[in-house]
Amino acid sequence: MPPIILFILKALEGRGAERMVTTLASTYADMGYRPHILCLEATQDMLLDARVQYHIVPYDEMFSEQNLDPESTQAQAYESVAKRIDGYVRSQIGKPDLILANIYKINWIMAYSQLPNIVNVLHTALSKQFQNQLLEAPVQTINHLKMVYGAHPCSCVSKGARQDLIDLIENITKTTTIYNPCDAADINTKAAASSHLEHFGLVDKEYIIHVASFDDMKGHRDLLQAYAKTVRKLPLVLVGKGRLEEEIKQLATELGISDSIKFLGFQTNPYPLIKSAALMVLTSKFEGFGYVIVEAQALGVPVISTDCPFGPRELLPKENLIAVGDIDGLATLIDQAIDNLTDYIVPLNQQLLPEHIASQYLAFGSVLDSDKNEGL
């Protein structure tokens, strides 16, 4: 039987980690493996390849992530969930040759797992994600992160995110950097679908686009404040959903720029909109990788970004970057990019194509197997 590759996620929401998982799952199917995706929630914003087996092992209760005490009731509950996952995988899936556990909550749960061949995939900068906890209870928080990320080898989606992990928990586990995959062929195929620009009141190559969930880390406030300082030659299109959406709409009203901004909500297929944009802007305060950057590159769309920790600086040259929080600088960069669009087009790094990334995970897993065998 072909080897089994198992991805574990909270849910198939429309974010970077989920795009990485669905892309790699399809790639492993192409390579002759048996890919499985296991989620703890039924939410599904992402389309899934029919060759990928999809499983849901629901946890029975909602958990708070504020208490980081490994001895807490929450930790006990997570241990119970891990046992449930272990039992389900053994009985319904088999013995995976590689398990990629994605997102902090899953990393914590799987710290208690007895399944083999687990690799934690870090999609963000831990020091930023846990910034408040590290200030309020540094020793407790670092000990917790050592417990979570010391349990299994870790792959990080950028060099910066890997160094950040090592700085926090030291070299207590094997780590590597494996960037997120960009399926340029699939993105271009999806981008060929109708973008319905007329329906949205848009004109091809005559708008700026920002694609991100409405969360604090995505920097919507800075984006709107900077956009208000530009000459506003082109409208700004915001694609995504999230808890801050209404607050950002109110900010647009307060800044007097509502007429120049379009909120398009979450789009299952955002690629036609990205392809038709004049410019992609990313304004995150921190990222592990910065998926929309490489997606814009795959579509030949100019892209600029905040120079946030840690992904964008590994994907873009300095002239395409601006410091986080530099509102005036961002406004200037937007205007400069609109006036010189071709100067801000950056070709996609071909090493980010899915087959290269899939092979890197397999190679990392093989190294771990060799290490285990040597230790016998």
Side-chain angles (χ1 to χ4, degrees):
M1 292 288 287
I4 295 170
I5 309 291
L6 174 62
F7 300 87
I8 305 181
L9 278 167
K10 184 169 72 74
L12 280 176
E13 298 169 311
R15 301 174 187 243
E18 293 78 9
R19 293 207 292 285
M20 170 269 201
V21 165
T22 54
T23 297
L24 279 185
S26 294
T27 303
Y28 282 123
D30 291 339
M31 296 168 68
Y33 291 86
R34 288 182 289 160
H36 294 255
I37 295 177
L38 186 153
C39 294
L40 302 185
E41 297 176 5
T43 302
Q44 185 175 352
D45 296 328
M46 306 291 290
L47 297 175
L48 201 55
D49 191 314
R51 300 170 297 171
V52 179
Q53 298 294 312
Y54 178 49
H55 311 266
I56 299 176
V57 179
Y59 41 33
D60 296 331
E61 54 204 285
M62 297 302 294
F63 301 107
S64 163
E65 292 183 4
Q66 299 306 309
N67 186 347
L68 298 180
D69 181 1
E71 303 300 321
S72 68
T73 302
Q74 183 181 358
Q76 293 168 8
Y78 276 10
E79 186 172 6
S80 176
V81 175
K83 289 179 181 177
R84 198 179 315 149
I85 291 172
D86 286 5
Y88 181 92
V89 170
R90 291 192 182 105
S91 64
Q92 302 300 318
I93 296 177
K95 181 182 177 181
D97 294 81
L98 179 63
I99 299 174
L100 298 180
N102 298 265
I103 303 300
Y104 160 69
K105 183 180 288 188
I106 299 298
N107 300 148
W108 185 358
I109 290 170
M110 297 308 289
Y112 305 109
S113 173
Q114 299 302 310
L115 293 173
N117 308 321
I118 297 173
V119 172
N120 283 325
V121 182
L122 274 73
H123 293 268
T124 191
L126 283 183
S127 66
K128 299 297 182 181
Q129 182 178 358
F130 291 93
Q131 186 170 11
N132 292 337
Q133 294 95 323
L134 286 165
L135 288 172
E136 295 168 4
V139 173
Q140 180 185 16
T141 301
I142 289 173
N143 286 340
H144 170 72
L145 294 175
K146 284 183 174 180
M147 184 278 295
V148 171
Y149 292 105
H152 306 294
C154 296
S155 174
C156 305
V157 298
S158 66
K159 294 176 183 176
R162 177 175 179 247
Q163 188 58 52
D164 183 64
L165 172 68
I166 293 171
D167 289 344
L168 277 175
I169 69 169
E170 303 176 333
N171 286 299
I172 64 172
T173 189
K174 279 194 173 292
T175 61
T176 191
T177 299
I178 302 178
Y179 290 113
N180 279 333
C182 180
D183 191 341
D186 182 62
I187 287 171
N188 276 276
T189 297
K190 290 176 178 175
S194 174
S195 58
H196 303 291
L197 292 182
E198 300 82 2
H199 172 74
F200 295 123
L202 298 171
V203 178
D204 186 47
K205 297 301 179 184
E206 293 191 15
Y207 59 90
I208 303 165
I209 194 166
H210 179 269
V211 182
S213 56
F214 284 86
D215 294 328
D216 285 319
M217 66 171 283
K218 296 299 183 180
H220 286 86
R221 296 183 188 88
D222 287 359
L223 173 60
L224 263 63
Q225 289 169 359
Y227 179 70
K229 292 175 176 286
T230 68
V231 296
R232 279 184 275 157
K233 284 185 177 180
L234 300 178
L236 174 63
V237 172
L238 303 180
V239 176
K241 64 178 182 179
R243 61 184 182 84
L244 297 180
E245 184 172 356
E246 291 306 314
E247 181 180 321
I248 298 303
K249 287 179 178 178
Q250 179 60 36
L251 178 59
T253 300
E254 293 171 2
L255 292 171
I257 56 176
S258 293
D259 291 346
S260 299
I261 298 184
K262 294 184 181 294
F263 292 80
L264 301 193
F266 175 79
Q267 299 289 320
T268 302
N269 178 14
Y271 302 120
L273 286 166
I274 296 174
K275 184 177 182 180
S276 293
L279 176 70
M280 163 73 77
V281 181
L282 180 74
T283 54
S284 298
K285 297 182 178 179
F286 65 92
E287 287 280 353
F289 182 64
Y291 235 123
V292 295
I293 292 175
V294 295
E295 291 171 335
Q297 291 172 343
L299 294 170
V301 175
V303 56
I304 59 176
S305 173
T306 47
D307 186 15
C308 65
F310 287 99
R313 67 188 63 168
E314 298 176 36
L315 302 171
L316 293 171
K318 287 184 178 180
E319 54 266 27
N320 291 55
L321 300 169
I322 192 69
V324 175
D326 184 354
I327 305 300
D328 291 336
L330 178 57
T332 299
L333 182 58
I334 290 172
D335 282 337
Q336 287 176 348
I338 292 298
D339 288 338
N340 305 276
L341 288 169
T342 57
D343 292 346
Y344 294 88
I345 296 175
V346 180
L348 176 69
N349 181 348
Q350 297 300 295
Q351 293 302 307
L352 297 179
L353 295 179
E355 56 268 26
H356 293 294
I357 303 303
S359 296
Q360 288 179 45
Y361 276 110
L362 295 175
F364 186 51
S366 296
V367 168
L368 301 176
D369 284 340
S370 298
D371 289 349
K372 283 188 291 186
N373 292 333
E374 289 175 5
L376 293 177

